[in-house]
mmCIF file of all heavy atoms in Angstrom:
data_model
loop_
_atom_site.group_PDB
_atom_site.id
_atom_site.type_symbol
_atom_site.label_atom_id
_atom_site.label_comp_id
_atom_site.label_asym_id
_atom_site.label_seq_id
_atom_site.Cartn_x
_atom_site.Cartn_y
_atom_site.Cartn_z
ATOM 1 N N SER A 1 1.564 0.218 -11.733
ATOM 2 C CA SER A 1 2.959 0.622 -11.593
ATOM 3 C C SER A 1 3.746 -0.403 -10.787
ATOM 4 O O SER A 1 3.177 -1.293 -10.149
ATOM 5 C CB SER A 1 3.033 1.992 -10.906
ATOM 6 O OG SER A 1 2.452 1.927 -9.612
ATOM 7 N N PHE A 2 5.063 -0.253 -10.828
ATOM 8 C CA PHE A 2 5.935 -1.112 -10.036
ATOM 9 C C PHE A 2 7.032 -0.240 -9.436
ATOM 10 O O PHE A 2 7.712 0.505 -10.147
ATOM 11 C CB PHE A 2 6.549 -2.211 -10.894
ATOM 12 C CG PHE A 2 7.260 -3.258 -10.074
ATOM 13 C CD1 PHE A 2 6.563 -4.312 -9.521
ATOM 14 C CD2 PHE A 2 8.627 -3.169 -9.845
ATOM 15 C CE1 PHE A 2 7.202 -5.267 -8.749
ATOM 16 C CE2 PHE A 2 9.278 -4.119 -9.079
ATOM 17 C CZ PHE A 2 8.570 -5.177 -8.529
ATOM 18 N N THR A 3 7.202 -0.334 -8.117
ATOM 19 C CA THR A 3 8.163 0.489 -7.397
ATOM 20 C C THR A 3 9.541 -0.157 -7.409
ATOM 21 O O THR A 3 9.702 -1.300 -6.967
ATOM 22 C CB THR A 3 7.711 0.713 -5.944
ATOM 23 O OG1 THR A 3 6.414 1.330 -5.955
ATOM 24 C CG2 THR A 3 8.680 1.605 -5.198
ATOM 25 N N LEU A 4 10.516 0.590 -7.890
ATOM 26 C CA LEU A 4 11.901 0.116 -7.942
ATOM 27 C C LEU A 4 12.720 0.637 -6.767
ATOM 28 O O LEU A 4 13.736 0.039 -6.407
ATOM 29 C CB LEU A 4 12.552 0.539 -9.262
ATOM 30 C CG LEU A 4 11.894 -0.017 -10.530
ATOM 31 C CD1 LEU A 4 12.549 0.590 -11.774
ATOM 32 C CD2 LEU A 4 11.984 -1.533 -10.571
ATOM 33 N N ASP A 5 12.284 1.738 -6.189
ATOM 34 C CA ASP A 5 13.013 2.305 -5.050
ATOM 35 C C ASP A 5 12.091 3.244 -4.282
ATOM 36 O O ASP A 5 11.181 3.856 -4.852
ATOM 37 C CB ASP A 5 14.244 3.072 -5.531
ATOM 38 C CG ASP A 5 15.228 3.380 -4.403
ATOM 39 O OD1 ASP A 5 15.046 2.840 -3.290
ATOM 40 O OD2 ASP A 5 16.165 4.165 -4.633
ATOM 41 N N CYS A 6 12.327 3.338 -2.986
ATOM 42 C CA CYS A 6 11.636 4.305 -2.144
ATOM 43 C C CYS A 6 12.476 4.489 -0.887
ATOM 44 O O CYS A 6 13.394 3.700 -0.637
ATOM 45 C CB CYS A 6 10.210 3.851 -1.823
ATOM 46 S SG CYS A 6 10.046 2.766 -0.399
ATOM 47 N N PRO A 7 12.227 5.529 -0.088
ATOM 48 C CA PRO A 7 13.058 5.799 1.092
ATOM 49 C C PRO A 7 13.115 4.654 2.107
ATOM 50 O O PRO A 7 14.035 4.614 2.922
ATOM 51 C CB PRO A 7 12.391 7.043 1.700
ATOM 52 C CG PRO A 7 11.799 7.749 0.522
ATOM 53 C CD PRO A 7 11.302 6.650 -0.357
ATOM 54 N N LEU A 8 12.164 3.730 2.078
ATOM 55 C CA LEU A 8 12.178 2.616 3.020
ATOM 56 C C LEU A 8 13.060 1.459 2.551
ATOM 57 O O LEU A 8 13.354 0.551 3.331
ATOM 58 C CB LEU A 8 10.756 2.087 3.244
ATOM 59 C CG LEU A 8 9.741 3.067 3.837
ATOM 60 C CD1 LEU A 8 8.399 2.374 4.044
ATOM 61 C CD2 LEU A 8 10.240 3.653 5.151
ATOM 62 N N PHE A 9 13.482 1.488 1.290
ATOM 63 C CA PHE A 9 14.314 0.414 0.750
ATOM 64 C C PHE A 9 15.773 0.627 1.127
ATOM 65 O O PHE A 9 16.301 1.733 0.992
ATOM 66 C CB PHE A 9 14.210 0.353 -0.774
ATOM 67 C CG PHE A 9 12.904 -0.168 -1.301
ATOM 68 C CD1 PHE A 9 11.825 -0.413 -0.469
ATOM 69 C CD2 PHE A 9 12.738 -0.413 -2.655
ATOM 70 C CE1 PHE A 9 10.618 -0.888 -0.955
ATOM 71 C CE2 PHE A 9 11.547 -0.892 -3.160
ATOM 72 C CZ PHE A 9 10.482 -1.133 -2.309
ATOM 73 N N LYS A 10 16.449 -0.433 1.550
ATOM 74 C CA LYS A 10 17.882 -0.376 1.822
ATOM 75 C C LYS A 10 18.675 -0.602 0.535
ATOM 76 O O LYS A 10 19.833 -0.206 0.432
ATOM 77 C CB LYS A 10 18.257 -1.430 2.859
ATOM 78 C CG LYS A 10 17.563 -1.217 4.204
ATOM 79 C CD LYS A 10 17.851 -2.354 5.162
ATOM 80 C CE LYS A 10 17.112 -2.151 6.487
ATOM 81 N NZ LYS A 10 17.327 -3.288 7.412
ATOM 82 N N LYS A 11 18.048 -1.267 -0.423
ATOM 83 C CA LYS A 11 18.622 -1.463 -1.749
ATOM 84 C C LYS A 11 17.547 -1.151 -2.781
ATOM 85 O O LYS A 11 16.355 -1.163 -2.464
ATOM 86 C CB LYS A 11 19.112 -2.899 -1.931
ATOM 87 C CG LYS A 11 20.287 -3.275 -1.044
ATOM 88 C CD LYS A 11 20.766 -4.689 -1.344
ATOM 89 C CE LYS A 11 21.968 -5.061 -0.489
ATOM 90 N NZ LYS A 11 22.458 -6.430 -0.801
ATOM 91 N N ARG A 12 17.957 -0.863 -3.999
ATOM 92 C CA ARG A 12 17.000 -0.566 -5.061
ATOM 93 C C ARG A 12 16.930 -1.735 -6.044
ATOM 94 O O ARG A 12 17.880 -2.527 -6.150
ATOM 95 C CB ARG A 12 17.400 0.720 -5.802
ATOM 96 C CG ARG A 12 18.756 0.649 -6.492
ATOM 97 C CD ARG A 12 19.152 1.970 -7.127
ATOM 98 N NE ARG A 12 20.497 1.899 -7.675
ATOM 99 C CZ ARG A 12 20.798 1.410 -8.877
ATOM 100 N NH1 ARG A 12 19.831 0.963 -9.673
ATOM 101 N NH2 ARG A 12 22.044 1.362 -9.304
ATOM 102 N N LEU A 13 15.803 -1.843 -6.728
ATOM 103 C CA LEU A 13 15.633 -2.876 -7.742
ATOM 104 C C LEU A 13 16.026 -2.313 -9.100
ATOM 105 O O LEU A 13 15.734 -1.150 -9.407
ATOM 106 C CB LEU A 13 14.184 -3.367 -7.796
ATOM 107 C CG LEU A 13 13.731 -4.353 -6.710
ATOM 108 C CD1 LEU A 13 13.658 -3.685 -5.343
ATOM 109 C CD2 LEU A 13 12.380 -4.958 -7.067
ATOM 110 N N GLU A 14 16.661 -3.124 -9.901
ATOM 111 C CA GLU A 14 17.061 -2.709 -11.246
ATOM 112 C C GLU A 14 16.651 -3.787 -12.242
ATOM 113 O O GLU A 14 16.992 -4.965 -12.080
ATOM 114 C CB GLU A 14 18.570 -2.485 -11.309
ATOM 115 C CG GLU A 14 19.033 -1.858 -12.621
ATOM 116 C CD GLU A 14 20.495 -1.447 -12.583
ATOM 117 O OE1 GLU A 14 20.837 -0.589 -11.735
ATOM 118 O OE2 GLU A 14 21.280 -1.983 -13.380
ATOM 119 N N ILE A 15 15.907 -3.366 -13.257
ATOM 120 C CA ILE A 15 15.430 -4.304 -14.279
ATOM 121 C C ILE A 15 16.549 -4.527 -15.299
ATOM 122 O O ILE A 15 17.009 -3.586 -15.938
ATOM 123 C CB ILE A 15 14.179 -3.766 -14.986
ATOM 124 C CG1 ILE A 15 13.071 -3.482 -13.967
ATOM 125 C CG2 ILE A 15 13.682 -4.764 -16.035
ATOM 126 C CD1 ILE A 15 11.914 -2.693 -14.520
ATOM 127 N N LYS A 16 16.957 -5.774 -15.436
ATOM 128 C CA LYS A 16 18.026 -6.120 -16.374
ATOM 129 C C LYS A 16 17.474 -6.612 -17.708
ATOM 130 O O LYS A 16 18.031 -6.333 -18.757
ATOM 131 C CB LYS A 16 18.922 -7.198 -15.761
ATOM 132 C CG LYS A 16 19.637 -6.764 -14.477
ATOM 133 C CD LYS A 16 20.625 -5.652 -14.742
ATOM 134 C CE LYS A 16 21.426 -5.316 -13.486
ATOM 135 N NZ LYS A 16 22.410 -4.240 -13.725
ATOM 136 N N GLU A 17 16.376 -7.369 -17.633
ATOM 137 C CA GLU A 17 15.740 -7.887 -18.849
ATOM 138 C C GLU A 17 14.230 -7.854 -18.683
ATOM 139 O O GLU A 17 13.712 -8.203 -17.624
ATOM 140 C CB GLU A 17 16.190 -9.335 -19.126
ATOM 141 C CG GLU A 17 17.672 -9.499 -19.402
ATOM 142 C CD GLU A 17 18.052 -10.962 -19.585
ATOM 143 O OE1 GLU A 17 17.177 -11.755 -20.003
ATOM 144 O OE2 GLU A 17 19.209 -11.313 -19.286
ATOM 145 N N LYS A 18 13.535 -7.440 -19.739
ATOM 146 C CA LYS A 18 12.069 -7.381 -19.692
ATOM 147 C C LYS A 18 11.511 -7.624 -21.082
ATOM 148 O O LYS A 18 12.217 -7.539 -22.081
ATOM 149 C CB LYS A 18 11.602 -6.027 -19.162
ATOM 150 C CG LYS A 18 11.988 -4.835 -20.008
ATOM 151 C CD LYS A 18 11.520 -3.536 -19.364
ATOM 152 C CE LYS A 18 11.809 -2.327 -20.238
ATOM 153 N NZ LYS A 18 13.226 -2.089 -20.487
ATOM 154 N N GLU A 19 10.220 -7.907 -21.123
ATOM 155 C CA GLU A 19 9.532 -8.173 -22.383
ATOM 156 C C GLU A 19 8.182 -7.471 -22.369
ATOM 157 O O GLU A 19 7.500 -7.452 -21.347
ATOM 158 C CB GLU A 19 9.341 -9.680 -22.564
ATOM 159 C CG GLU A 19 8.595 -10.074 -23.820
ATOM 160 C CD GLU A 19 8.319 -11.577 -23.885
ATOM 161 O OE1 GLU A 19 8.680 -12.295 -22.931
ATOM 162 O OE2 GLU A 19 7.724 -12.017 -24.889
ATOM 163 N N THR A 20 7.805 -6.875 -23.490
ATOM 164 C CA THR A 20 6.489 -6.246 -23.607
ATOM 165 C C THR A 20 5.489 -7.265 -24.134
ATOM 166 O O THR A 20 5.700 -7.871 -25.185
ATOM 167 C CB THR A 20 6.532 -5.035 -24.553
ATOM 168 O OG1 THR A 20 7.415 -4.042 -24.019
ATOM 169 C CG2 THR A 20 5.147 -4.426 -24.713
ATOM 170 N N ILE A 21 4.414 -7.463 -23.392
ATOM 171 C CA ILE A 21 3.357 -8.402 -23.782
ATOM 172 C C ILE A 21 2.108 -7.606 -24.147
ATOM 173 O O ILE A 21 1.636 -6.794 -23.350
ATOM 174 C CB ILE A 21 3.009 -9.375 -22.634
ATOM 175 C CG1 ILE A 21 4.266 -10.087 -22.119
ATOM 176 C CG2 ILE A 21 1.941 -10.365 -23.076
ATOM 177 C CD1 ILE A 21 4.886 -11.038 -23.098
ATOM 178 N N ILE A 22 1.585 -7.826 -25.343
ATOM 179 C CA ILE A 22 0.312 -7.204 -25.740
ATOM 180 C C ILE A 22 -0.794 -8.206 -25.427
ATOM 181 O O ILE A 22 -0.921 -9.240 -26.079
ATOM 182 C CB ILE A 22 0.306 -6.830 -27.239
ATOM 183 C CG1 ILE A 22 1.471 -5.884 -27.562
ATOM 184 C CG2 ILE A 22 -1.033 -6.181 -27.605
ATOM 185 C CD1 ILE A 22 1.459 -4.586 -26.791
ATOM 186 N N HIS A 23 -1.576 -7.875 -24.408
ATOM 187 C CA HIS A 23 -2.621 -8.781 -23.937
ATOM 188 C C HIS A 23 -3.889 -8.658 -24.780
ATOM 189 O O HIS A 23 -4.590 -9.642 -25.017
ATOM 190 C CB HIS A 23 -2.934 -8.477 -22.474
ATOM 191 C CG HIS A 23 -3.960 -9.379 -21.870
ATOM 192 N ND1 HIS A 23 -3.736 -10.722 -21.647
ATOM 193 C CD2 HIS A 23 -5.241 -9.136 -21.454
ATOM 194 C CE1 HIS A 23 -4.818 -11.263 -21.114
ATOM 195 N NE2 HIS A 23 -5.737 -10.327 -20.988
ATOM 196 N N ALA A 24 -4.193 -7.442 -25.213
ATOM 197 C CA ALA A 24 -5.370 -7.197 -26.051
ATOM 198 C C ALA A 24 -5.026 -6.077 -27.028
ATOM 199 O O ALA A 24 -4.825 -4.937 -26.625
ATOM 200 C CB ALA A 24 -6.577 -6.825 -25.201
ATOM 201 N N ASP A 25 -4.966 -6.425 -28.310
ATOM 202 C CA ASP A 25 -4.563 -5.449 -29.332
ATOM 203 C C ASP A 25 -5.778 -4.674 -29.839
ATOM 204 O O ASP A 25 -6.153 -4.747 -31.005
ATOM 205 C CB ASP A 25 -3.860 -6.167 -30.485
ATOM 206 C CG ASP A 25 -3.115 -5.205 -31.395
ATOM 207 O OD1 ASP A 25 -2.972 -4.028 -31.011
ATOM 208 O OD2 ASP A 25 -2.680 -5.621 -32.485
ATOM 209 N N ASN A 26 -6.378 -3.923 -28.915
ATOM 210 C CA ASN A 26 -7.558 -3.122 -29.241
ATOM 211 C C ASN A 26 -7.119 -1.822 -29.914
ATOM 212 O O ASN A 26 -6.193 -1.161 -29.456
ATOM 213 C CB ASN A 26 -8.338 -2.823 -27.951
ATOM 214 C CG ASN A 26 -9.639 -2.111 -28.211
ATOM 215 O OD1 ASN A 26 -9.648 -0.964 -28.625
ATOM 216 N ND2 ASN A 26 -10.751 -2.782 -27.939
ATOM 217 N N ALA A 27 -7.796 -1.447 -30.979
ATOM 218 C CA ALA A 27 -7.393 -0.261 -31.740
ATOM 219 C C ALA A 27 -7.529 1.017 -30.924
ATOM 220 O O ALA A 27 -6.780 1.973 -31.133
ATOM 221 C CB ALA A 27 -8.241 -0.158 -33.004
ATOM 222 N N PHE A 28 -8.466 1.064 -29.982
ATOM 223 C CA PHE A 28 -8.707 2.280 -29.204
ATOM 224 C C PHE A 28 -8.024 2.253 -27.834
ATOM 225 O O PHE A 28 -7.521 3.275 -27.372
ATOM 226 C CB PHE A 28 -10.212 2.509 -29.032
ATOM 227 C CG PHE A 28 -10.935 2.738 -30.322
ATOM 228 C CD1 PHE A 28 -11.664 1.716 -30.907
ATOM 229 C CD2 PHE A 28 -10.876 3.968 -30.971
ATOM 230 C CE1 PHE A 28 -12.324 1.915 -32.118
ATOM 231 C CE2 PHE A 28 -11.530 4.181 -32.164
ATOM 232 C CZ PHE A 28 -12.257 3.151 -32.747
ATOM 233 N N ALA A 29 -8.028 1.106 -27.195
ATOM 234 C CA ALA A 29 -7.437 1.014 -25.856
ATOM 235 C C ALA A 29 -6.695 -0.315 -25.705
ATOM 236 O O ALA A 29 -7.170 -1.227 -25.032
ATOM 237 C CB ALA A 29 -8.516 1.152 -24.791
ATOM 238 N N PRO A 30 -5.533 -0.440 -26.343
ATOM 239 C CA PRO A 30 -4.778 -1.689 -26.241
ATOM 240 C C PRO A 30 -4.303 -1.953 -24.814
ATOM 241 O O PRO A 30 -4.004 -1.025 -24.072
ATOM 242 C CB PRO A 30 -3.581 -1.460 -27.182
ATOM 243 C CG PRO A 30 -3.441 0.026 -27.259
ATOM 244 C CD PRO A 30 -4.837 0.566 -27.152
ATOM 245 N N VAL A 31 -4.269 -3.223 -24.437
ATOM 246 C CA VAL A 31 -3.806 -3.620 -23.118
ATOM 247 C C VAL A 31 -2.433 -4.282 -23.259
ATOM 248 O O VAL A 31 -2.285 -5.258 -23.986
ATOM 249 C CB VAL A 31 -4.782 -4.604 -22.443
ATOM 250 C CG1 VAL A 31 -4.253 -5.039 -21.076
ATOM 251 C CG2 VAL A 31 -6.159 -3.975 -22.319
ATOM 252 N N GLY A 32 -1.442 -3.720 -22.583
ATOM 253 C CA GLY A 32 -0.100 -4.282 -22.639
ATOM 254 C C GLY A 32 0.575 -4.178 -21.291
ATOM 255 O O GLY A 32 0.225 -3.333 -20.468
ATOM 256 N N TYR A 33 1.535 -5.062 -21.051
ATOM 257 C CA TYR A 33 2.254 -5.015 -19.776
ATOM 258 C C TYR A 33 3.697 -5.479 -19.966
ATOM 259 O O TYR A 33 4.050 -6.099 -20.991
ATOM 260 C CB TYR A 33 1.549 -5.856 -18.712
ATOM 261 C CG TYR A 33 1.458 -7.339 -19.001
ATOM 262 C CD1 TYR A 33 2.450 -8.225 -18.566
ATOM 263 C CD2 TYR A 33 0.364 -7.874 -19.681
ATOM 264 C CE1 TYR A 33 2.368 -9.582 -18.817
ATOM 265 C CE2 TYR A 33 0.267 -9.231 -19.931
ATOM 266 C CZ TYR A 33 1.273 -10.080 -19.497
ATOM 267 O OH TYR A 33 1.183 -11.426 -19.760
ATOM 268 N N LEU A 34 4.521 -5.155 -18.978
ATOM 269 C CA LEU A 34 5.910 -5.578 -18.974
ATOM 270 C C LEU A 34 6.046 -6.852 -18.155
ATOM 271 O O LEU A 34 5.546 -6.932 -17.033
ATOM 272 C CB LEU A 34 6.811 -4.500 -18.367
ATOM 273 C CG LEU A 34 6.946 -3.180 -19.132
ATOM 274 C CD1 LEU A 34 7.891 -2.239 -18.373
ATOM 275 C CD2 LEU A 34 7.452 -3.400 -20.549
ATOM 276 N N LYS A 35 6.711 -7.832 -18.725
ATOM 277 C CA LYS A 35 7.047 -9.058 -17.989
ATOM 278 C C LYS A 35 8.536 -9.006 -17.672
ATOM 279 O O LYS A 35 9.367 -8.875 -18.571
ATOM 280 C CB LYS A 35 6.720 -10.297 -18.804
ATOM 281 C CG LYS A 35 7.016 -11.597 -18.050
ATOM 282 C CD LYS A 35 6.546 -12.804 -18.812
ATOM 283 C CE LYS A 35 6.866 -14.089 -18.052
ATOM 284 N NZ LYS A 35 6.214 -14.149 -16.735
ATOM 285 N N PHE A 36 8.860 -9.079 -16.391
ATOM 286 C CA PHE A 36 10.257 -9.027 -15.977
ATOM 287 C C PHE A 36 10.926 -10.375 -16.204
ATOM 288 O O PHE A 36 10.437 -11.408 -15.745
ATOM 289 C CB PHE A 36 10.369 -8.652 -14.497
ATOM 290 C CG PHE A 36 9.809 -7.296 -14.165
ATOM 291 C CD1 PHE A 36 9.194 -7.063 -12.940
ATOM 292 C CD2 PHE A 36 9.889 -6.262 -15.066
ATOM 293 C CE1 PHE A 36 8.675 -5.816 -12.625
ATOM 294 C CE2 PHE A 36 9.367 -5.003 -14.768
ATOM 295 C CZ PHE A 36 8.766 -4.785 -13.550
ATOM 296 N N LYS A 37 12.025 -10.361 -16.918
ATOM 297 C CA LYS A 37 12.813 -11.567 -17.153
ATOM 298 C C LYS A 37 13.954 -11.685 -16.137
ATOM 299 O O LYS A 37 14.319 -12.779 -15.721
ATOM 300 C CB LYS A 37 13.395 -11.540 -18.567
ATOM 301 C CG LYS A 37 12.352 -11.582 -19.683
ATOM 302 C CD LYS A 37 11.673 -12.932 -19.736
ATOM 303 C CE LYS A 37 10.795 -13.060 -20.978
ATOM 304 N NZ LYS A 37 10.146 -14.374 -21.068
ATOM 305 N N LYS A 38 14.498 -10.522 -15.762
ATOM 306 C CA LYS A 38 15.597 -10.522 -14.798
ATOM 307 C C LYS A 38 15.608 -9.199 -14.050
ATOM 308 O O LYS A 38 15.708 -8.138 -14.659
ATOM 309 C CB LYS A 38 16.937 -10.746 -15.510
ATOM 310 C CG LYS A 38 18.132 -10.861 -14.568
ATOM 311 C CD LYS A 38 19.416 -11.110 -15.362
ATOM 312 C CE LYS A 38 20.615 -11.234 -14.436
ATOM 313 N NZ LYS A 38 21.878 -11.425 -15.200
ATOM 314 N N VAL A 39 15.491 -9.269 -12.725
ATOM 315 C CA VAL A 39 15.540 -8.082 -11.870
ATOM 316 C C VAL A 39 16.534 -8.350 -10.755
ATOM 317 O O VAL A 39 16.533 -9.437 -10.162
ATOM 318 C CB VAL A 39 14.154 -7.746 -11.272
ATOM 319 C CG1 VAL A 39 14.230 -6.471 -10.447
ATOM 320 C CG2 VAL A 39 13.104 -7.615 -12.377
ATOM 321 N N GLU A 40 17.380 -7.377 -10.467
ATOM 322 C CA GLU A 40 18.395 -7.552 -9.438
ATOM 323 C C GLU A 40 18.334 -6.432 -8.421
ATOM 324 O O GLU A 40 17.842 -5.333 -8.696
ATOM 325 C CB GLU A 40 19.793 -7.565 -10.076
ATOM 326 C CG GLU A 40 20.046 -8.735 -11.001
ATOM 327 C CD GLU A 40 21.434 -8.705 -11.619
ATOM 328 O OE1 GLU A 40 22.166 -7.700 -11.399
ATOM 329 O OE2 GLU A 40 21.807 -9.664 -12.310
ATOM 330 N N LEU A 41 18.835 -6.725 -7.221
ATOM 331 C CA LEU A 41 18.996 -5.707 -6.194
ATOM 332 C C LEU A 41 20.370 -5.052 -6.349
ATOM 333 O O LEU A 41 21.365 -5.733 -6.576
ATOM 334 C CB LEU A 41 18.889 -6.314 -4.794
ATOM 335 C CG LEU A 41 17.484 -6.681 -4.310
ATOM 336 C CD1 LEU A 41 17.573 -7.366 -2.961
ATOM 337 C CD2 LEU A 41 16.587 -5.458 -4.226
ATOM 338 N N CYS A 42 20.391 -3.731 -6.239
ATOM 339 C CA CYS A 42 21.635 -2.980 -6.375
ATOM 340 C C CYS A 42 21.799 -2.033 -5.192
ATOM 341 O O CYS A 42 20.800 -1.648 -4.570
ATOM 342 C CB CYS A 42 21.643 -2.171 -7.681
ATOM 343 S SG CYS A 42 21.453 -3.190 -9.171
ATOM 344 N N GLU A 43 23.019 -1.675 -4.924
ATOM 345 C CA GLU A 43 23.283 -0.703 -3.862
ATOM 346 C C GLU A 43 22.719 0.646 -4.279
ATOM 347 O O GLU A 43 22.752 1.024 -5.439
ATOM 348 C CB GLU A 43 24.779 -0.588 -3.599
ATOM 349 C CG GLU A 43 25.417 -1.873 -3.080
ATOM 350 C CD GLU A 43 24.844 -2.332 -1.754
ATOM 351 O OE1 GLU A 43 24.481 -1.454 -0.931
ATOM 352 O OE2 GLU A 43 24.732 -3.553 -1.545
ATOM 353 N N LYS A 44 22.218 1.396 -3.310
ATOM 354 C CA LYS A 44 21.707 2.723 -3.596
ATOM 355 C C LYS A 44 22.857 3.701 -3.768
ATOM 356 O O LYS A 44 23.876 3.597 -3.087
ATOM 357 C CB LYS A 44 20.789 3.204 -2.456
ATOM 358 C CG LYS A 44 19.519 2.390 -2.327
ATOM 359 C CD LYS A 44 18.659 2.960 -1.234
ATOM 360 C CE LYS A 44 17.280 3.220 -1.749
ATOM 361 N NZ LYS A 44 16.404 3.837 -0.790
ATOM 362 N N LYS A 45 22.671 4.656 -4.653
ATOM 363 C CA LYS A 45 23.704 5.667 -4.876
ATOM 364 C C LYS A 45 23.693 6.645 -3.720
ATOM 365 O O LYS A 45 22.652 7.014 -3.217
ATOM 366 C CB LYS A 45 23.437 6.385 -6.208
ATOM 367 C CG LYS A 45 23.518 5.462 -7.402
ATOM 368 C CD LYS A 45 23.225 6.218 -8.696
ATOM 369 C CE LYS A 45 23.276 5.260 -9.892
ATOM 370 N NZ LYS A 45 22.945 5.955 -11.161
#
């Protein structure tokens, strides 16, 4: 997992651009992950 916000953060992270990468295209248990292309800090609501 990846944490975008928590009570200890003064600002939150926001993903603007991402890409899905398939690392292993296994029929039963495929391995995939998100690659962040652009992430920015934003003011908390």
Side-chain angles (χ1 to χ4, degrees):
S1 61
F2 190 85
T3 302
L4 299 174
D5 195 10
C6 86
L8 299 182
F9 288 8
K10 298 174 182 177
K11 294 183 178 181
R12 61 184 175 84
L13 282 69
E14 188 171 299
I15 303 168
K16 298 295 185 179
E17 297 177 27
K18 62 182 184 297
E19 178 185 2
T20 298
I21 306 293
I22 302 301
H23 182 67
D25 194 11
N26 185 292
F28 297 101
V31 178
Y33 63 91
L34 294 180
K35 182 174 179 61
F36 298 146
K37 296 291 189 179
K38 184 179 180 182
V39 183
E40 295 180 355
L41 284 176
C42 301
E43 296 299 326
K44 294 182 127 183
K45 297 179 181 178

